[in-house]
Amino acid sequence: MSHSFVVHVPDAELEPEPLAPEQIVSGTPEVTGKVVWESADGRQIRGVWQITPGVVTDTEADELFVVISGSATVEVEGGPTLRVGPGDMAVLRAGDRTTWTVHETLRKAYAINLG
């Protein structure tokens, strides 16, 4: 996308982004998302992401996100436990190994920087 734009995050239409089975610790969480902008070199990504309740693991990229709705507890291996909800901004570092316990369906707007 080459022009400035706006996305109304609370009701943005999202597409399924299936989790790898080994990421699911408990429950039946479902992930949806939408990339709204990507740099020409693919190293910067902006988008919207949502996950339903459950517990999942992940290895993070360099990410800043703002929670729009829902709540979760994000445990960073060897680091802090982050409790996030509407209006919270969080930063995850590339390589962080995390466990997400999603209490209420969580929707976030994110900015990821790769490499």
Side-chain angles (χ1 to χ4, degrees):
M1 191 171 285
S2 59
H3 301 286
S4 297
F5 63 94
V6 65
V7 173
H8 188 68
V9 176
D11 52 72
E13 287 193 36
L14 308 179
E15 300 291 326
E17 294 182 1
L19 289 162
E22 61 271 14
Q23 287 183 271
I24 300 172
V25 176
S26 69
T28 54
E30 294 182 9
V31 172
T32 53
K34 179 178 186 174
V35 171
V36 298
W37 181 85
E38 186 172 342
S39 63
D41 64 5
R43 296 176 67 166
Q44 296 182 47
I45 303 167
R46 312 293 184 249
V48 180
W49 185 86
Q50 181 170 288
I51 185 169
T52 61
V55 180
V56 299
T57 61
D58 200 9
T59 300
E60 304 297 337
D62 176 24
E63 177 181 1
L64 176 145
F65 67 86
V66 176
V67 177
I68 305 305
S69 59
S71 64
T73 302
V74 184
E75 297 173 61
V76 179
E77 187 177 286
T81 295
L82 312 173
R83 299 182 200 299
V84 297
D88 289 336
M89 180 176 77
V91 174
L92 298 171
R93 298 172 306 154
D96 278 350
R97 295 176 53 80
T98 57
T99 300
W100 291 68
T101 301
V102 181
H103 311 293
E104 296 174 71
T105 297
L106 182 132
R107 181 174 283 221
K108 67 181 183 176
Y110 66 84
I112 292 175
N113 296 310
L114 302 171

